[in-house]
Amino acid sequence: MSPAVVSIFVEENTVVASDGLNSQTVTQNGLGSGFLVADNLVVTAAHVVRVPERIQIQFSDGEIIPGTVLSSYNAPDIALVKLFRPKMNATIVNFGDSDKLKVGQQVFVVGSPYGLTDSFSSGYVSSFRRSNLGSNPFTSTEFIQTDAAINQGNSGGPMFNLQGEVVGIVSHITTQSGGFEGIGYASSSNLAKKLLLDNSRPWLGAEMHLLTLRQGEILNLPQEYGLLVQRVSSNSVFGQMGVKGGDIEAIFNEEKLILGGDIILAFNDIKFDPSDNTLTKLGEFANNLGPNPKFNITIFRKGKKLILESK
C-alpha cells in the first residue's frame, strides 16, 4: 500500500444530553483516513476534523505527528491538515484529473476502515453528482459515485485511478442498514485541488447551523438569518476570538441542535443571509483573509449584539 496514506485520530469535545433537562460536555474520539500531498500537508474529509481539540496523524511506519486544520469545506466534505513538523522521507501522491473519469472506469480506495490500516478495496465509477459549481464555494459539490467498498474509517482516504493518481477523497455512503451497500461517494480531486491548494481560505474552527426564519423568530434575532454556533475548537481562530459554542442539547423546532451558543450575524460589514450573492461575497472575504487573519464578527449573545475581533 502507499506510504502516503495515513490514519487520522481526532479528539473532540461534544455536548450530550445526560437526562431530559441537563447536558454535559464529553471528549469523543474519531477515526478517519487521509493522504500526503506535501511533506507537511494531509488532505482528508471535512467531517473527520470538524472541531478537533487534538489531531494525530499516524503513518504506515508507525510514526505519529500532530496536526492542525488549515482549511475546510463542509459541502464538498474536504479539508487540509498541516503537520506540526514535516514527515522525513515523505512519500506524497499527486492529484489526477477527475474530469477525465468515465462511468465504468476502475478505481481503488485505500484507508483505515474500522481501524484496519492500509486496507484496499476496488470498484468502478458508477455516476457523478454535481451541484452549484459556481463562484459560491460553500455549496459547490462534485461527487464521484462508486461501488468500491467504503466503511467507517475510510473517510478522507484517497480514491486512485489506474495510474496511481488521486481522483477522489472518500466522503460518505448511502445506506439503509448502516453498513456499505454498494453506493459510496468521493469528492472530486479537481474541486479539492481548487478549494484546498489553489487559495488561502483559513479554517475558523466552529461547527455552525443556519437558522431558519422560524428558528430566528423563536430566538428573537434582530435580523432574519444567523449562524448558531454549535461547537468551537479552542485552538482555532474563533476559539481565540472568544466565540462561544452551545451547552444544551435539545430538539428545537423539530431539529436536534446544541443551544446556548453565540449567533453570528455578520462578518465585517457583510450581514449574513443564505442567498448565493451573500455567500459569494463571504467566500471572497474568506479567501482574502490569509494567515493571521484580521477581521471582526457581529454576534448575538444573551439578547445583545457584540463585536468580536480576531487576534
Side-chain angles (χ1 to χ4, degrees), residues 166-240:
V166 175
V167 289
I169 298 87
V170 174
S171 175
H172 62 283
I173 61 175
T174 295
T175 178
Q176 293 183 340
S177 66
F180 182 67
E181 296 177 359
I183 303 176
Y185 300 92
S187 190
S188 75
S189 59
N190 285 2
L191 186 58
K193 183 176 182 296
K194 174 184 175 181
L195 295 179
L196 296 178
L197 302 184
D198 295 344
N199 67 44
S200 58
R201 174 186 161 186
W203 175 67
L204 298 179
E207 181 180 5
M208 296 175 286
H209 167 75
L210 169 61
L211 293 169
T212 65
L213 286 172
R214 180 56 181 155
Q215 290 170 343
E217 290 173 356
I218 293 172
L219 292 172
N220 293 316
L221 279 191
Q223 63 186 48
E224 288 186 330
Y225 293 101
L227 294 168
L228 175 64
V229 179
Q230 303 285 277
R231 297 184 295 156
V232 182
S233 177
S234 62
N235 56 3
S236 68
V237 173
F238 271 179
Q240 294 171 1

Side-chain angles (χ1 to χ4, degrees), residues 59 69 195 294:
F59 296 87
V69 181
L195 295 179
K294 299 298 180 184

Side-chain angles (χ1 to χ4, degrees), residues 100-109 120-126 144-148 159-165 167:
K100 293 182 178 180
L101 286 175
K102 305 293 183 183
V103 171
Q105 184 173 333
Q106 191 169 17
V107 289
F108 307 93
V109 169
F120 172 96
S121 65
S122 65
Y124 298 88
V125 174
S126 304
I144 303 159
Q145 182 182 329
T146 181
D147 63 352
M159 172 190 283
F160 291 104
N161 60 17
L162 290 172
Q163 289 71 47
E165 300 167 324
V167 289

Side-chain angles (χ1 to χ4, degrees), residues 6 37 43 74 84 97 103 143 148 154 177 185 201 219-220 241 266 275 300:
V6 302
V37 292
V43 170
N74 289 334
F84 283 6
D97 186 351
V103 171
F143 289 108
N154 271 123
S177 66
Y185 300 92
R201 174 186 161 186
L219 292 172
N220 293 316
M241 290 173 69
S275 69
F300 192 59

